[in-house]
């Protein structure tokens, strides 16, 4: 599903060059639940952003769902992200000016989906994460756990094949983190959604199919779990 | 999609109250002032009541007798002698009327002193203008020939002199030591209709007859020359231009002019020349438009620059939202569209507010009696042009910052 070959990412300023990712090659199969761990600054989020086509590698190739991404125009990249990928961020990244339902509808806004259908699909997604009673609330009226569930609803509303989650439980207490993890596991199990999750929590990582570790921008180990 | 944009625009407007206030204030005040100034422009220059024939009229308001060698000039309205001999004799016009420039007079009536504007006019004046007679009728050539002692007054004068709403026709007024019988009451017009406005209209024969006989060119009269159709105006101007050089120059005591400058101008040209630029060289219109254009550009450029600045910071502060939208599939083009539409929505709010502010101001001005009989009105063509301009302006001021932000890599935008 996701194939990264010799990915390198260098951040350059006038005076300094920082190698954020060094020759990373990684393949993730369809329906796999993969976790990425590593100390702060090891390149986890950079790797996830590159997989999600939010950032470009300095070198290397990306193949997503059998398609080489290298020559994609902005329009094509946007469409690809919209249809294939759902994102969940540690800090939720909800649009505070819009109510929950409109936040969840966001990916559908960039497809040719009628307003009624958008409303129906967003309501269904919110129901799936147990927030159907908060549709008209604004993000500022929700707890951290609820915000993350809204973010998950937004990520799944367009039925993407891949979900990329950057420390989705990082800002939550363990009970709430556990709830979020259960939702992700359920998505992976029932909908066979491919999930890549960056985490600092070893216990959460152990609940996925495979754990890869990064250190100083390099892939240092890969463990497979039987879940 | 549009509903979504509208929602987010309203939300941003509500959240950033100060920004919203500054933006709406900038747009609405600029447009309001533009609309009100245009209403004044229309009020002064358009063919409004009672000069509904202004589009086929030419005005002789100024005559210059000049000594180009030794210097010196006699400049002002013209004499009845001049009008009778050199303007009324033109063949192309359909009608020519004359009247004095308005003078003030104090009269006493209804227990109070009234300071009024009065004019002497000929009977044709009532044929070229279209005053509405609420009572009575206009004086005719027959009245002039019979030396009738009559006057026409406007409603304010009637109300002040005889009492509010009291019928005045048939009653007499003491004016300038003469007892004049009121034969008509008209709906007045604002004093800004410079050539025709007055409170009292007296047939010219009641002015000292001597003024007609004195052989000099400058005097106290202006003339209105009406063509059969607006297309005839250039022909009349041409005919008059051929007459003027043949007019014999007069000598006044020690002053011997060697040149006579006189022309028949459209109302706009005559006012612009007389009031703003005091020159008969014909370039007044160009200079007036240049002046107005520079003023309008300077006037509008400040809020324009301000709005562009505000827009840039407004869009920059929404970097995170742009990142989110990009992550979920918004292309650069869609983002630009979104921000431009938001800007347009905001500009429309500003425009609607401007219409409301101008309407309230104009209503207040018309009913304030600052200018009696003021009939300022919103010119909807100007509103449409102003709104279109502000839309284009909103578009331009939104496109650049939106385009800049849409180029930002999603990952950077997400960091805010």
């Amino acid at each position: 599903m996701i194939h990264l070959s010799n990915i390198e990412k260098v951040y350059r300023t006038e005076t300094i060059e920082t190698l954020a990712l060094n020759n990373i090659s990684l393949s993730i199969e369809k329906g796999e639940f993969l976790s990425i761990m590593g100390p702060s600054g090891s390149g986890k989020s950079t790797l996830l952003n590159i997989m999600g086509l939010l950032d470009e590698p300095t070198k290397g190739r990306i193949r997503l769902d059998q398609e080489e991404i290298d020559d994609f125009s902005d329009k094509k990249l946007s469409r690809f992200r919209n249809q294939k990928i759902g994102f969940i961020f540690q800090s939720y990244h909800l649009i505070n000016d819009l109510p929950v339902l409109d936040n969840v509808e966001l990916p559908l806004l960039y497809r040719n989906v009628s307003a009624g259908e958008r409303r129906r699909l967003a309501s269904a997604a919110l129901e799936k994460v147990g927030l159907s009673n908060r549709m008209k609330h604004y993000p500022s009226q929700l707890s951290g756990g609820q915000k993350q569930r809204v973010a998950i609803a937004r990520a799944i509303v367009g039925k993407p094949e891949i979900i990329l989650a950057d420390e989705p439980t990082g800002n939550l207490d363990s009970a709430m983190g556990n709830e979020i993890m259960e939702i992700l596991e359920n998505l992976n199990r029932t909908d066979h959604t491919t999930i890549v999750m960056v985490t600092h929590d070893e216990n959460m990582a152990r609940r996925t199919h495979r754990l890869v570790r990064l250190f100083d921008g390099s892939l240092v180990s890969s463990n497979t779990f039987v879940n | 999609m549009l509903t979504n944009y509208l929602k987010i625009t309203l939300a941003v407007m509500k959240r950033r109250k100060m920004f919203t206030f500054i933006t709406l204030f900038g747009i609405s005040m600029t447009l309001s002032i533009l609309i009100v100034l245009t209403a004044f422009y229309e009020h002064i220059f358009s063919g409004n009541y009672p000069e509904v024939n202004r589009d086929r009229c030419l005005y002789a308001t100024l005559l210059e007798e000049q000594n180009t060698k030794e210097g010196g000039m006699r400049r002002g309205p013209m004499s009845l002698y001049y009008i009778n001999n050199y303007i009324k004799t033109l063949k192309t016009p359909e009608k020519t009327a004359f009247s004095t420039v308005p003078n003030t007079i104090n009269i006493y009536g209804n227990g109070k002193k009234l300071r009024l504007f009065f004019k002497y006019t000929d009977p044709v004046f009532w044929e070229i203008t279209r005053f509405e007679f609420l009572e009575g009728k206009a004086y005719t050539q027959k009245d002039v020939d019979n030396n009738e002692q009559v006057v026409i007054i406007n409603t304010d004068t009637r109300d002040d002199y005889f009492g509010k709403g009291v019928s005045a026709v048939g009653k007499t007024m003491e004016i300038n030591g003469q007892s004049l019988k009121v034969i008509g009451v008209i709906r007045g017009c604002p004093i800004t209709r410079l050539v025709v406005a007055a409170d009292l209209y007296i047939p010219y024969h009641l002015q000292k007859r001597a003024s007609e006989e004195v052989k000099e060119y400058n005097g106290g009269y202006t003339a209105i020359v009406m063509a059969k159709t607006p297309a005839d105006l250039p022909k009349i101007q041409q005919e008059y231009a051929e007459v003027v050089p043949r007019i014999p120059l007069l000598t006044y005591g020690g002053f011997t002019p060697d040149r006579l400058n006189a022309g028949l101008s459209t109302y706009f040209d005559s006012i612009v020349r007389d009031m703003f630029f005091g020159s008969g060289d014909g370039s007044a219109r160009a200079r007036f438009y240049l002046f107005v254009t520079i003023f309008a550009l300077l006037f509008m450029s400040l809020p324009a620059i301000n709005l562009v600045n505000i827009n840039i910071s407004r869009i920059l502060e929404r970097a995170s939202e742009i990142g989110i939208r990009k992550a979920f599939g918004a292309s650069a083009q869609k983002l630009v569209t979104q921000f431009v539409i938001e800007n347009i929505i905001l500009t429309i709010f500003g425009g609607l507010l401007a219409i409301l502010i101008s309407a309230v101001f104009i209503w207040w001005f018309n009913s304030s009696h600052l200018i009696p009989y003021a009939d300022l009105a919103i010119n909807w063509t100007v509103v449409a042009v102003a709104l279109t301009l502000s839309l284009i302006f909103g578009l331009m001021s939104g496109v650049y910052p939106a385009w800049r932000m849409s180029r930002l890599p999603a990952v950077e935008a997400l960091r805010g």
Side-chain angles (χ1 to χ4, degrees), chain A residues 74 81-82 93 97 102 110, chain B residues 7 15 325-326 328 332:
Chain A
D74 171 70
R81 270 200 297 264
N82 179 257
H93 278 317
D97 291 322
D102 287 343
Y110 301 110
Chain B
K7 260 187 204 169
R15 180 165 52 86
R325 287 182 184 272
K326 278 198 152 192
F328 286 97

Side-chain angles (χ1 to χ4, degrees), chain B residues 5 66 83 92 107 171 186 238 261 274 311:
Chain B
Y5 292 161
Q66 201 178 359
I83 291 173
T92 328
I107 63 170
K171 294 179 177 160
I186 53 162
Q238 180 60 33
N261 295 322
D274 293 356
N311 268 333

Side-chain angles (χ1 to χ4, degrees), chain B residues 110 134-135 153-171 182 184-185:
Chain B
N110 211 13
L134 303 174
E135 289 181 58
I153 62 175
N154 65 14
T155 44
D156 278 359
T157 307
R158 177 194 63 186
D159 292 349
D160 287 343
Y161 194 88
F162 297 105
K164 194 162 177 58
V166 174
S167 175
V169 169
K171 294 179 177 160
V182 178
V185 178

Side-chain angles (χ1 to χ4, degrees), chain B residues 113-124:
Chain B
K113 179 177 145 186
L114 306 173
R115 189 174 164 78
L116 303 172
F117 284 103
F118 74 99
K119 257 176 164 329
Y120 290 104
T121 81
D122 67 349
V124 187

Side-chain angles (χ1 to χ4, degrees), chain B residues 381-407:
Chain B
T381 313
V382 170
V383 171
V385 170
L387 274 178
T388 310
L389 279 177
S390 64
L391 282 184
I392 292 170
F393 169 66
L395 198 80
M396 303 302 285
S397 64
V399 165
Y400 171 67
W403 176 81
R404 228 178 87 176
M405 284 313 290
S406 71
R407 314 309 296 172

Side-chain angles (χ1 to χ4, degrees), chain A residues 99-194:
Chain A
V100 162
L101 193 64
D102 287 343
N103 264 288
V104 176
E105 276 185 22
L106 191 70
L108 305 176
L109 208 62
Y110 301 110
R111 295 182 190 181
N112 286 330
V113 179
S114 70
E117 183 66 359
R118 283 206 305 265
R119 210 112 287 218
R120 192 186 66 74
L121 290 170
S123 305
L126 279 166
E127 201 162 322
K128 209 164 184 175
V129 296
L131 272 183
S132 49
N133 57 342
R134 292 281 189 275
M135 287 184 197
K136 289 182 178 163
H137 286 61
Y138 281 84
S140 58
Q141 298 168 305
L142 304 178
S143 69
Q146 286 171 326
K147 283 181 192 172
Q148 199 57 293
R149 281 193 277 165
V150 174
I152 293 173
R154 179 179 61 185
I156 63 173
V157 71
K159 301 200 176 4
E161 290 167 58
I162 303 163
I163 283 183
L164 302 177
D166 192 356
E167 299 192 45
T169 59
N171 280 352
L172 307 175
D173 62 39
S174 59
M176 199 55 73
N178 201 39
E179 267 185 39
I180 296 298
M181 196 58 196
E182 277 171 17
I183 295 172
L184 292 177
E185 284 172 330
N186 199 33
L187 274 173
N188 175 253
R189 209 167 27 243
T190 55
D191 298 348
H192 309 289
T193 310
T194 307

Side-chain angles (χ1 to χ4, degrees), chain A residues 11 49 54-55 74-75 78 81-82 87 89 93-95 97-98 102 106-107 109-110 118-119 154-155, chain B residues 1 4 7-8 11-12 15 320-321 324-334 338 410-411 414-415:
Chain A
Y11 290 108
N49 288 336
L54 295 175
D55 204 355
D74 171 70
K75 208 170 176 179
S78 306
R81 270 200 297 264
N82 179 257
F87 294 93
F89 303 100
H93 278 317
L94 300 175
I95 299 175
D97 291 322
L98 291 177
D102 287 343
L106 191 70
L109 208 62
Y110 301 110
R118 283 206 305 265
R119 210 112 287 218
R154 179 179 61 185
Chain B
M1 183 99 69
N4 193 278
K7 260 187 204 169
I8 198 126
V12 172
R15 180 165 52 86
S320 165
E321 181 194 326
I324 297 166
R325 287 182 184 272
K326 278 198 152 192
F328 286 97
S331 62
Q333 187 199 341
K334 283 200 166 136
Q338 178 198 336
V411 69
L414 277 169
R415 282 188 206 118

